[in-house]
Amino acid sequence: MIKKSFMKKPGAVLLAASLAIGSIAYTPAVTQAANEVSLVSDANSAKANTEMSYDFAVADSNTVYISVFVPEMVSGTMSLARNGEQVNNEILNSDASTWEYIDNKTFAAYGIKYGYTYVLEKPTPADWNVSLNFDTDTVYAIIISQEKNLASINKNSLTLTAGFSDKLSVKGANGTVKWKSSNNKVATVSSDGKVTSKKAGSAKITATTESGQSLTCAVSVLKNEFNQNRVYPSSVKYGESIMQVYKMSYDKKGNLILKTSLLNNSGKRSGGIDNVTIIIRSDKGKKIGTFKLKSKRFSLDSGNSKDFTFKIKKADLKIKKANLRTAQYDDPKGTILYWR
């Protein structure tokens, strides 16, 4: 699709094109966006009524921009052809209806107004040609550029539990992608983008494409432990008692340690617990391990809580290395004994 664009192109990369006006040589800073690739970049002189022709190949359907600059406004034509067949012919007037004056520290010339710049949206991959024909002698500069495919990373941020991994990938990159971690003590990354967390902290993973584009992912590594805000006996419905698991972690031997609290708001003194069962599950519901306690005696007044530390031995765990940060537990089962 060919249309006149009334939007200015974002500029980032400066393409130097020598533009001689009389005895003065100018180097116009013709703007080309950083996400564009140059197809044609030329500065030349043209005789009146002489065609200046430029061939360029379009390999994909990304947008193509065609811009022309002259030292003085000039009339003529600008035509466009695809595979040898003309598809557009633009009349250029030697006045402000066609040209716009551009003046900055490095560039002084007239450029075809953005309203008259060729913009090829979703062009057909083909051999293209643009031809300029001015009514008077002039020097000029022409820039033809095409938007290029920018690579993208699948995650800009990532939260991992220490000891666990996730996969990063880059889409739209040609050739090899190089991966690097800013802090290998916290997280490492393999040549194929696999991020492995080591310990709690933060790191930045950078993927660099062959074209030089850099993509980053901020990685936050958290301790492999389960934490739940502790509740108070007063928050328990009166007449009841509950047991809360507020923390889970592995010890150095790989045993699973449970930090629990019995919250008594029954209105009676508790004298112990019998036949306690606590099942720990992964975030997908798979059983990690089960703690069982036959009997334990103590004295606990209503309105108070009592903490216990329980252990599930490594040999009894169904999953030896589980992501405790996302783990859950079934409501503890058992019998709470009360004094009469």
Side-chain angles (χ1 to χ4, degrees):
M1 176 182 178
I2 304 170
K3 72 173 187 179
K4 295 179 181 180
S5 172
F6 291 89
M7 296 293 290
K8 289 189 176 182
K9 295 190 303 174
V13 178
L14 301 182
L15 294 180
S18 297
L19 183 61
I21 304 175
S23 60
I24 302 175
Y26 289 85
T27 302
V30 182
T31 60
Q32 178 190 323
N35 63 336
E36 294 174 22
V37 60
S38 178
L39 301 179
V40 172
S41 178
D42 185 40
N44 214 328
S45 59
K47 294 291 185 181
N49 302 312
T50 301
E51 185 178 89
M52 306 299 292
S53 181
Y54 293 91
D55 295 323
F56 59 97
V58 175
D60 54 47
S61 59
N62 292 340
T63 302
V64 172
Y65 302 96
I66 304 173
S67 302
V68 177
F69 302 88
V70 293
E72 299 293 341
M73 292 184 288
V74 61
S75 61
T77 60
M78 181 168 65
S79 61
L80 189 68
R82 180 181 60 223
N83 290 335
E85 294 186 10
Q86 189 179 83
V87 294
N88 199 290
N89 188 59
E90 195 75 52
I91 302 298
L92 306 177
N93 299 310
S94 57
D95 55 37
S97 65
T98 296
W99 303 97
E100 179 179 40
Y101 187 64
I102 302 169
D103 188 6
N104 56 41
K105 293 180 180 179
T106 59
F107 181 41
Y110 286 91
I112 291 183
K113 278 189 172 181
Y114 286 102
Y116 284 84
T117 298
Y118 274 141
V119 177
L120 309 184
E121 288 189 340
K122 297 181 180 180
T124 302
D127 291 324
W128 291 76
N129 172 274
V130 62
S131 295
L132 301 172
N133 197 322
F134 301 109
D135 293 340
T136 58
D137 293 354
T138 185
V139 292
Y140 66 94
I142 181 171
I143 298 295
I144 304 176
S145 61
Q146 183 177 27
E147 291 182 356
K148 61 183 178 182
N149 291 319
L150 287 180
S152 60
I153 195 167
N154 64 326
K155 295 178 181 178
N156 296 115
S157 62
L158 180 63
T159 299
L160 287 174
T161 301
F164 288 82
S165 302
D166 203 346
K167 185 74 163 57
L168 295 178
S169 61
V170 171
K171 182 180 179 181
N174 294 321
T176 303
V177 175
K178 294 183 178 180
W179 297 89
K180 183 180 180 181
S181 171
S182 65
N183 192 342
N184 285 316
K185 292 182 179 180
V186 172
T188 61
V189 61
S190 67
S191 59
D192 63 351
K194 182 181 179 181
V195 179
T196 301
S197 58
K198 298 298 184 179
K199 67 175 185 178
S202 60
K204 182 172 73 173
I205 303 299
T206 302
T208 304
T209 67
E210 284 191 354
S211 65
Q213 183 183 355
S214 293
L215 305 163
T216 61
C217 175
V219 177
S220 176
V221 180
L222 303 178
K223 291 182 179 180
N224 187 19
E225 59 183 31
F226 169 91
N227 288 285
Q228 189 177 76
N229 292 331
R230 299 190 65 168
V231 297
Y232 298 95
S234 59
S235 64
V236 179
K237 183 179 179 181
Y238 184 74
E240 296 181 358
S241 297
I242 66 168
M243 179 171 284
Q244 179 195 19
V245 179
Y246 62 87
K247 185 173 182 178
M248 292 185 278
S249 61
Y250 291 107
D251 65 14
K252 293 182 179 179
K253 294 182 179 181
N255 303 312
L256 182 55
I257 307 302
L258 312 180
K259 296 288 187 178
T260 69
S261 181
L262 181 65
L263 309 165
N264 183 4
N265 199 30
S266 66
K268 299 176 285 187
R269 181 188 298 178
S270 172
I273 49 179
D274 284 345
N275 302 316
V276 175
T277 300
I278 305 175
I279 298 176
I280 311 301
R281 299 184 186 277
S282 71
D283 58 344
K284 295 181 179 180
K286 293 184 177 181
K287 187 182 290 186
I288 296 173
T290 302
F291 172 78
K292 290 187 177 183
L293 175 67
K294 186 175 182 181
S295 180
K296 194 171 186 69
R297 295 293 178 263
F298 51 84
S299 180
L300 179 63
D301 290 333
S302 181
N304 291 292
S305 63
K306 186 172 181 62
D307 290 349
F308 302 95
T309 298
F310 299 138
K311 178 171 66 176
I312 306 176
K313 293 181 179 181
K314 181 179 180 180
D316 296 329
L317 293 173
K318 298 292 185 182
I319 303 176
K320 308 296 183 185
K321 181 185 175 183
N323 188 343
L324 299 181
R325 191 174 61 84
T326 59
Q328 53 195 357
Y329 64 92
D330 295 352
D331 289 336
K333 308 295 184 184
T335 302
I336 301 175
L337 306 178
Y338 298 100
W339 293 98
R340 292 188 178 184

